[in-house]
Amino acid sequence: MNTYHHLFSPIKVGHTTIKNRVFMPPISTNLADKGYITDELIQHYEARAKGGVGLIVTEVTTVEPTYIYLPGDMSIHDDSFIPGWKKLTDAVHQYGAKILPQLFHPAYMAFPIPGTPRLIAPSNVGPSYAKEAPRPVTIEELKVIIRQFGEAALRVKQAGGDGVEIHAAHAHGLLGGFLTPLYNKRCDEYGGDINGRLKLTLEVVEEVRSVCGPDFIIDVRISGDEYSDGGLNLDDMIYVSKQLETHGADMLHVSGGTTIKRGSAIPAAGTKPGAHAHLSQEIKKHVNIPVATVGRITEPWIADELIANGKADICMIGRANLCDPDFANKAKCGKDDDIRPCIGCLRCLNGIMFGKRVACTVNPSFELENEDTLKPAEVKKKILVIGGGPAGMEAAFVAKRKGHHVILCEQSDALGGLMKLAAVPIAKQDLSRVIKYMARRLMQAGVEVRLNCKVEKAMLQGEFADYEVIASNGAVPSIIKAFTGFKQWATADDILAGNAFPGKNIVILGGGSVGCETADYLAPLVYDRYPRDRVITVLEMTKDIMAAESGPGRSLLVQRMLKKHVNLICEATVEKVEKDKIYYTKNGRTECIDDVDTLIFAVGYHSDPTLKLLLEECGMTYHMIGDANHTGTIKDAIHDGYETARSI
């Protein structure tokens, strides 16, 4: 049954009909080998084509050999790349999907591989993190680059590709940099007013059309608004969109923001669905070619509504298709509850800049053998999983899929473990969807789940004596005993669970993600000096808060705390706590915070060895997983549960 009629209706882009409006936008994978397509890369995109996506725009594909965007990205700068691309297009086409590489010149965003010459840019203006100013590219060099875009597109056509996407968004790379006034300070024909800044992109579009002909899709990715003072705005981009259509573009992929303004181009968890849809909606009114929107579109109903309500013709659904390759097929059949939920954490891209391959918090494996294709175990065993957090739920499901008899015992009255508390702070709601999804999957797989069931010694020696044990009893929050003499103290977990209620003036020890999320949760939504509002102070020993985190989620959390006037004090060491006073040192001086009502510990977690000692005492064969083995992230827990159960 097709529940989402708008999303799964065909659409014509140029001369090509696409079977539905679920398009996959570019997401870097680091699966290429020196620019060449690997078998892993083919399998990655083939899985999404098999899963029902109408069209795939691949990750960045460079058009010349000198400047590398990421070490594991793709290229098509000479004919030697064509055979790999032919294998990729054939793999995708067998499922009725279309495929476009995203053609890109990284320019001043290039990866600083040793031996790389000085980076080029529209002007000698580069991103804030650059180690040196780039040099302005010459007009003669631009003529060569334009030709290189056309030659790359022709190779795509020769390899069976359906078209290309030309990346001119996010003040990113050469074309995006030329278009934006943030980076283009030129006074020649390629600078100055908007027509000068747009000239390079239009010439690239015209070159690709001239070389590849009318039946080849040309999609251009733009920011409908850069959301930055001095940057491009919606009025600019309506004009740009009209010009792109006039000069041969078949489709516009309307994003927003820039790569430098964190959280603007790639929306973080908790941001509104269809984050850039207001831009595509307005641009759509002024052009006659299809317009796609992108940004935090993670559920089928959102995508269908955006199309039905005239916000866009097409939905670019990236992270959700990464998280669940069968997103489209499940949506088309109305199996929304079976879609693996994307939580928007962006851990998929966290390691990309460091050469790591793409990964996902909720989906532990993109390999050929994954949750859906597990090989049955040669020897079927009885498996007891102790603990129903993310690691335990994943391990129980995987063990059951491998053919083992599995019982999961959870001592509380609900599954989820610490993930239930992690879902409480602002912008973390999607974690509750993960718990529902994992619990539903256990039920469908036939795993016996026992709630309110604490595994005791007698049970291990009796009913479970011949079981292999996977222990995932999680971790417990750490406290500093010397500071528990304060008049009211609690852990962050106590607060998030509703087991403790803090007073008006609060000090939180620890500026990691838990401490900051708890501060954000407790602080007033609006800072207006209302007398009854809470006053929150976070004390962190290191140089900055959440030092282990990065990306849009961290950025928006910090911005919220600053707007709420949460007092963030770093490089502060708490020396002494009295009943109603807290003393800390900073820069060699001792400071005292008095008039504090509640002290909250957010100083990490530690594993409780009690269960491990019990398992050893009973002589059980056991595996410690997740936080019970080593405290970490939800991603660490789920992946640990998967790998452990897969190996049994």
Side-chain angles (χ1 to χ4, degrees):
M1 179 182 68
N2 183 355
T3 306
Y4 301 109
H5 303 291
H6 300 92
L7 187 59
F8 289 98
S9 62
I11 186 168
K12 195 169 186 181
V13 179
H15 296 275
T16 304
T17 299
I18 318 296
K19 65 180 180 180
N20 61 46
R21 292 145 190 257
V22 180
F23 287 19
M24 185 170 179
I27 299 179
S28 292
T29 65
N30 264 345
L31 294 177
D33 181 11
K34 297 178 181 177
Y36 289 91
I37 290 174
T38 60
D39 289 343
E40 285 180 298
L41 199 48
I42 292 171
Q43 291 155 8
H44 175 80
Y45 287 118
E46 181 181 353
R48 277 80 199 164
K50 183 180 179 181
V53 167
L55 181 146
I56 294 170
V57 182
T58 74
E59 62 213 83
V60 161
T61 304
T62 55
V63 301
E64 59 83 49
T66 306
Y67 299 101
I68 307 300
Y69 180 55
L70 292 173
D73 269 334
M74 297 149 69
S75 187
I76 193 162
H77 67 257
D78 64 40
D79 289 354
S80 66
F81 294 91
I82 294 176
W85 275 95
K86 183 68 168 65
K87 290 180 182 178
L88 175 58
T89 58
D90 287 348
V92 168
H93 285 158
Q94 66 179 317
Y95 298 104
K98 308 299 182 184
I99 185 166
L100 320 177
Q102 184 188 71
L103 297 188
F104 185 67
H105 190 303
Y108 53 95
M109 298 288 187
F111 200 86
I113 294 174
T116 301
R118 187 177 176 187
L119 303 185
I120 61 173
S123 310
N124 60 351
V125 181
S128 56
Y129 59 77
K131 294 182 179 179
E132 68 171 345
R135 68 169 179 84
V137 62
T138 67
I139 290 178
E140 291 73 20
E141 288 172 320
L142 289 179
K143 300 303 181 184
V144 174
I145 291 169
I146 292 166
R147 188 180 73 245
Q148 288 172 327
F149 269 95
E151 291 170 348
L154 182 59
R155 293 185 193 105
V156 172
K157 184 174 182 178
Q158 291 169 342
D162 301 287
V164 294
E165 175 172 278
I166 295 168
H167 191 341
H170 307 148
H172 191 49
L174 191 67
L175 302 187
F178 262 82
L179 189 54
T180 180
L182 295 172
Y183 291 131
N184 188 337
K185 312 297 181 179
R186 299 172 76 103
C187 302
D188 61 13
E189 61 188 287
Y190 288 97
D193 63 9
I194 195 166
N195 292 306
R197 299 197 313 273
L198 178 59
K199 179 176 171 63
L200 177 61
T201 299
L202 294 182
E203 288 181 350
V204 167
V205 171
E206 290 172 340
E207 178 72 8
V208 171
R209 179 62 70 212
S210 172
V211 170
C212 296
D215 297 335
F216 193 72
I217 295 173
I218 299 178
D219 163 28
V220 183
R221 189 176 203 188
I222 58 173
S223 287
D225 190 319
E226 290 182 339
Y227 309 137
S228 301
D229 291 342
L232 294 164
N233 59 54
L234 180 55
D235 290 333
D236 295 328
M237 298 314 294
I238 291 171
Y239 175 77
V240 166
S241 298
K242 291 177 179 179
Q243 297 302 309
L244 288 169
E245 179 181 21
T246 299
H247 286 78
D250 295 310
M251 170 183 155
L252 298 175
H253 175 179
V254 179
S255 183
T258 74
T259 55
I260 303 304
K261 186 175 181 180
R262 285 180 287 275
S264 63
I266 305 178
T271 52
K272 64 181 180 181
H276 307 304
H278 62 293
L279 305 175
S280 59
Q281 179 183 25
E282 190 60 32
I283 287 173
K284 186 178 180 311
K285 297 175 184 176
H286 301 279
V287 296
N288 298 303
I289 55 178
V291 174
T293 190
V294 69
R296 203 76 199 106
I297 305 172
T298 58
E299 298 178 72
W301 71 267
I302 297 169
D304 199 68
E305 283 286 300
L306 289 172
I307 296 169
N309 297 337
K311 299 292 183 73
D313 302 298
I314 294 158
C315 285
M316 291 279 182
I317 303 175
R319 286 174 281 174
N321 271 306
L322 187 72
C323 184
D324 193 334
D326 292 318
F327 175 94
N329 284 340
K330 290 176 181 177
K332 188 175 182 180
C333 296
K335 296 180 178 179
D336 295 30
D337 290 340
D338 292 330
I339 295 174
R340 186 185 286 106
C342 168
I343 59 174
C345 63
L346 277 171
R347 295 205 184 272
C348 47
L349 300 180
N350 267 13
I352 291 294
M353 291 301 294
F354 305 102
K356 295 181 181 179
R357 58 189 294 153
V358 67
C360 176
T361 288
V362 186
N363 185 347
S365 180
F366 294 154
E367 310 300 327
L368 279 177
E369 180 174 290
N370 53 50
E371 288 177 330
D372 300 320
T373 59
L374 287 166
K375 298 174 183 176
E378 293 182 6
V379 178
K380 304 300 189 292
K381 296 181 178 181
K382 295 179 180 179
I383 305 293
L384 169 64
V385 178
I386 303 176
M393 288 193 286
E394 179 68 22
F397 173 75
V398 171
K400 184 67 175 179
R401 285 296 300 263
K402 287 182 68 67
H404 300 300
H405 173 72
V406 183
I407 296 177
L408 186 155
C409 294
E410 163 57 42
Q411 66 178 1
S412 74
D413 61 357
L415 295 171
L418 288 178
M419 193 155 56
K420 289 182 294 185
L421 302 185
V424 172
I426 293 169
K428 301 297 287 294
Q429 163 65 19
D430 280 341
L431 287 174
S432 64
R433 296 175 56 218
V434 178
I435 297 171
K436 285 184 66 176
Y437 167 78
M438 296 184 82
R440 172 183 167 86
R441 205 171 52 163
L442 290 177
M443 179 188 69
Q444 291 174 329
V447 174
E448 181 181 343
V449 176
R450 300 181 186 178
L451 300 177
N452 299 303
C453 179
K454 184 176 181 179
V455 176
E456 307 280 4
K457 182 176 181 180
M459 298 168 69
L460 292 173
Q461 294 177 331
E463 179 183 3
F464 299 123
D466 57 344
Y467 279 64
E468 191 164 331
V469 178
I470 299 176
S472 59
N473 56 314
V476 293
S478 299
I479 59 171
I480 303 173
K481 289 185 179 180
F483 299 161
T484 56
F486 196 79
K487 59 186 177 184
Q488 186 197 19
W489 65 267
T491 67
D493 285 19
D494 291 330
I495 300 297
L496 298 176
N499 295 328
F501 192 77
K504 179 177 183 292
N505 296 314
I506 300 165
V507 170
I508 298 175
L509 295 190
S513 58
V514 173
C516 289
E517 287 173 359
T518 304
D520 185 33
Y521 170 70
L522 292 174
L525 292 176
V526 176
Y527 178 73
D528 58 1
R529 297 179 65 92
Y530 185 62
R532 292 175 60 185
D533 278 349
R534 292 189 178 111
V535 177
I536 314 288
T537 299
V538 176
L539 297 176
E540 168 58 36
M541 292 179 63
T542 62
K543 290 184 178 181
D544 213 335
I545 55 172
M546 293 188 291
E549 296 293 328
S550 62
R554 179 194 182 279
S555 176
L556 294 185
L557 172 55
V558 174
Q559 290 178 53
R560 286 198 301 271
M561 288 191 293
L562 294 175
K563 288 177 182 176
K564 296 174 180 182
H565 281 237
V566 173
N567 189 18
L568 303 170
I569 305 176
C570 296
E571 296 185 288
T573 301
V574 177
E575 303 288 356
K576 184 174 66 171
V577 169
E578 296 177 353
K579 187 175 182 180
D580 55 358
K581 293 182 176 65
I582 297 170
Y583 297 86
Y584 70 90
T585 57
K586 178 177 173 65
N587 298 327
R589 294 180 55 184
T590 298
E591 307 284 351
C592 176
I593 308 176
D594 54 16
D595 194 27
V596 177
D597 298 310
T598 308
L599 174 63
I600 297 175
F601 291 107
V603 292
Y605 295 83
H606 63 274
S607 302
D608 182 350
T610 306
L611 179 58
K612 182 177 181 180
L613 294 173
L614 178 60
L615 293 171
E616 290 177 351
E617 180 185 346
C618 295
M620 308 294 292
T621 299
Y622 68 91
H623 311 267
M624 306 298 296
I625 66 169
D627 284 350
N629 182 46
H630 186 271
T631 56
T633 64
I634 293 171
K635 175 179 178 288
D636 296 332
I638 292 177
H639 285 235
D640 199 7
Y642 172 81
E643 292 294 344
T644 299
R646 188 173 69 90
S647 66
I648 296 176

PDB file of all heavy atoms in Angstrom, residues 162-175:
ATOM      1  N   ASP A 162      23.604   9.384 -15.175  1.00  0.00           N
ATOM      2  CA  ASP A 162      22.408  10.067 -15.673  1.00  0.00           C
ATOM      3  C   ASP A 162      22.555  11.579 -15.700  1.00  0.00           C
ATOM      4  O   ASP A 162      21.699  12.275 -16.259  1.00  0.00           O
ATOM      5  CB  ASP A 162      21.211   9.684 -14.790  1.00  0.00           C
ATOM      6  CG  ASP A 162      20.980   8.186 -14.787  1.00  0.00           C
ATOM      7  OD1 ASP A 162      20.500   7.668 -15.810  1.00  0.00           O
ATOM      8  OD2 ASP A 162      21.319   7.533 -13.777  1.00  0.00           O
ATOM      9  N   GLY A 163      23.607  12.091 -15.108  1.00  0.00           N
ATOM     10  CA  GLY A 163      23.826  13.523 -15.070  1.00  0.00           C
ATOM     11  C   GLY A 163      24.837  13.845 -14.001  1.00  0.00           C
ATOM     12  O   GLY A 163      25.551  12.964 -13.505  1.00  0.00           O
ATOM     13  N   VAL A 164      24.899  15.122 -13.621  1.00  0.00           N
ATOM     14  CA  VAL A 164      25.808  15.554 -12.562  1.00  0.00           C
ATOM     15  C   VAL A 164      25.115  16.598 -11.702  1.00  0.00           C
ATOM     16  O   VAL A 164      24.187  17.279 -12.140  1.00  0.00           O
ATOM     17  CB  VAL A 164      27.117  16.159 -13.124  1.00  0.00           C
ATOM     18  CG1 VAL A 164      27.929  15.105 -13.856  1.00  0.00           C
ATOM     19  CG2 VAL A 164      26.838  17.361 -14.020  1.00  0.00           C
ATOM     20  N   GLU A 165      25.571  16.691 -10.475  1.00  0.00           N
ATOM     21  CA  GLU A 165      25.209  17.827  -9.632  1.00  0.00           C
ATOM     22  C   GLU A 165      26.433  18.720  -9.539  1.00  0.00           C
ATOM     23  O   GLU A 165      27.545  18.251  -9.265  1.00  0.00           O
ATOM     24  CB  GLU A 165      24.787  17.389  -8.230  1.00  0.00           C
ATOM     25  CG  GLU A 165      24.527  18.586  -7.308  1.00  0.00           C
ATOM     26  CD  GLU A 165      23.923  18.212  -5.970  1.00  0.00           C
ATOM     27  OE1 GLU A 165      22.687  18.033  -5.898  1.00  0.00           O
ATOM     28  OE2 GLU A 165      24.685  18.093  -4.997  1.00  0.00           O
ATOM     29  N   ILE A 166      26.242  20.001  -9.759  1.00  0.00           N
ATOM     30  CA  ILE A 166      27.313  20.984  -9.663  1.00  0.00           C
ATOM     31  C   ILE A 166      27.164  21.704  -8.325  1.00  0.00           C
ATOM     32  O   ILE A 166      26.128  22.313  -8.050  1.00  0.00           O
ATOM     33  CB  ILE A 166      27.252  21.971 -10.844  1.00  0.00           C
ATOM     34  CG1 ILE A 166      27.518  21.216 -12.160  1.00  0.00           C
ATOM     35  CG2 ILE A 166      28.246  23.097 -10.658  1.00  0.00           C
ATOM     36  CD1 ILE A 166      27.209  22.007 -13.406  1.00  0.00           C
ATOM     37  N   HIS A 167      28.196  21.596  -7.499  1.00  0.00           N
ATOM     38  CA  HIS A 167      28.129  22.116  -6.126  1.00  0.00           C
ATOM     39  C   HIS A 167      28.533  23.582  -6.097  1.00  0.00           C
ATOM     40  O   HIS A 167      29.694  23.926  -6.305  1.00  0.00           O
ATOM     41  CB  HIS A 167      29.058  21.296  -5.229  1.00  0.00           C
ATOM     42  CG  HIS A 167      28.889  21.547  -3.756  1.00  0.00           C
ATOM     43  ND1 HIS A 167      28.279  22.664  -3.255  1.00  0.00           N
ATOM     44  CD2 HIS A 167      29.264  20.816  -2.674  1.00  0.00           C
ATOM     45  CE1 HIS A 167      28.282  22.616  -1.920  1.00  0.00           C
ATOM     46  NE2 HIS A 167      28.878  21.506  -1.553  1.00  0.00           N
ATOM     47  N   ALA A 168      27.541  24.444  -5.817  1.00  0.00           N
ATOM     48  CA  ALA A 168      27.810  25.879  -5.708  1.00  0.00           C
ATOM     49  C   ALA A 168      27.165  26.445  -4.439  1.00  0.00           C
ATOM     50  O   ALA A 168      26.765  27.607  -4.392  1.00  0.00           O
ATOM     51  CB  ALA A 168      27.289  26.608  -6.940  1.00  0.00           C
ATOM     52  N   ALA A 169      27.061  25.603  -3.409  1.00  0.00           N
ATOM     53  CA  ALA A 169      26.366  25.993  -2.175  1.00  0.00           C
ATOM     54  C   ALA A 169      27.352  26.206  -1.028  1.00  0.00           C
ATOM     55  O   ALA A 169      28.537  25.900  -1.122  1.00  0.00           O
ATOM     56  CB  ALA A 169      25.363  24.908  -1.788  1.00  0.00           C
ATOM     57  N   HIS A 170      26.817  26.743   0.071  1.00  0.00           N
ATOM     58  CA  HIS A 170      27.466  26.746   1.384  1.00  0.00           C
ATOM     59  C   HIS A 170      28.769  27.557   1.438  1.00  0.00           C
ATOM     60  O   HIS A 170      29.596  27.316   2.313  1.00  0.00           O
ATOM     61  CB  HIS A 170      27.759  25.305   1.854  1.00  0.00           C
ATOM     62  CG  HIS A 170      26.570  24.416   1.837  1.00  0.00           C
ATOM     63  ND1 HIS A 170      26.639  23.059   1.584  1.00  0.00           N
ATOM     64  CD2 HIS A 170      25.249  24.690   2.031  1.00  0.00           C
ATOM     65  CE1 HIS A 170      25.435  22.531   1.616  1.00  0.00           C
ATOM     66  NE2 HIS A 170      24.574  23.508   1.880  1.00  0.00           N
ATOM     67  N   ALA A 171      28.950  28.519   0.528  1.00  0.00           N
ATOM     68  CA  ALA A 171      30.219  29.255   0.465  1.00  0.00           C
ATOM     69  C   ALA A 171      31.374  28.264   0.482  1.00  0.00           C
ATOM     70  O   ALA A 171      32.411  28.477   1.113  1.00  0.00           O
ATOM     71  CB  ALA A 171      30.335  30.243   1.636  1.00  0.00           C
ATOM     72  N   HIS A 172      31.199  27.177  -0.256  1.00  0.00           N
ATOM     73  CA  HIS A 172      32.050  25.986  -0.117  1.00  0.00           C
ATOM     74  C   HIS A 172      32.688  25.655  -1.456  1.00  0.00           C
ATOM     75  O   HIS A 172      32.014  25.632  -2.489  1.00  0.00           O
ATOM     76  CB  HIS A 172      31.168  24.827   0.357  1.00  0.00           C
ATOM     77  CG  HIS A 172      31.906  23.614   0.796  1.00  0.00           C
ATOM     78  ND1 HIS A 172      32.957  23.659   1.671  1.00  0.00           N
ATOM     79  CD2 HIS A 172      31.726  22.300   0.499  1.00  0.00           C
ATOM     80  CE1 HIS A 172      33.385  22.434   1.895  1.00  0.00           C
ATOM     81  NE2 HIS A 172      32.669  21.599   1.188  1.00  0.00           N
ATOM     82  N   GLY A 173      33.969  25.370  -1.445  1.00  0.00           N
ATOM     83  CA  GLY A 173      34.635  25.014  -2.682  1.00  0.00           C
ATOM     84  C   GLY A 173      34.711  26.194  -3.635  1.00  0.00           C
ATOM     85  O   GLY A 173      34.304  27.325  -3.336  1.00  0.00           O
ATOM     86  N   LEU A 174      35.223  25.930  -4.821  1.00  0.00           N
ATOM     87  CA  LEU A 174      35.506  27.014  -5.757  1.00  0.00           C
ATOM     88  C   LEU A 174      34.243  27.749  -6.208  1.00  0.00           C
ATOM     89  O   LEU A 174      34.172  28.979  -6.157  1.00  0.00           O
ATOM     90  CB  LEU A 174      36.253  26.467  -6.976  1.00  0.00           C
ATOM     91  CG  LEU A 174      36.834  27.541  -7.905  1.00  0.00           C
ATOM     92  CD1 LEU A 174      37.944  28.308  -7.211  1.00  0.00           C
ATOM     93  CD2 LEU A 174      37.337  26.914  -9.198  1.00  0.00           C
ATOM     94  N   LEU A 175      33.218  27.012  -6.651  1.00  0.00           N
ATOM     95  CA  LEU A 175      32.023  27.671  -7.182  1.00  0.00           C
ATOM     96  C   LEU A 175      31.235  28.369  -6.078  1.00  0.00           C
ATOM     97  O   LEU A 175      30.768  29.502  -6.250  1.00  0.00           O
ATOM     98  CB  LEU A 175      31.146  26.668  -7.924  1.00  0.00           C
ATOM     99  CG  LEU A 175      31.804  25.929  -9.098  1.00  0.00           C
ATOM    100  CD1 LEU A 175      30.778  25.099  -9.851  1.00  0.00           C
ATOM    101  CD2 LEU A 175      32.492  26.897 -10.044  1.00  0.00           C
TER     102      LEU A 175
END
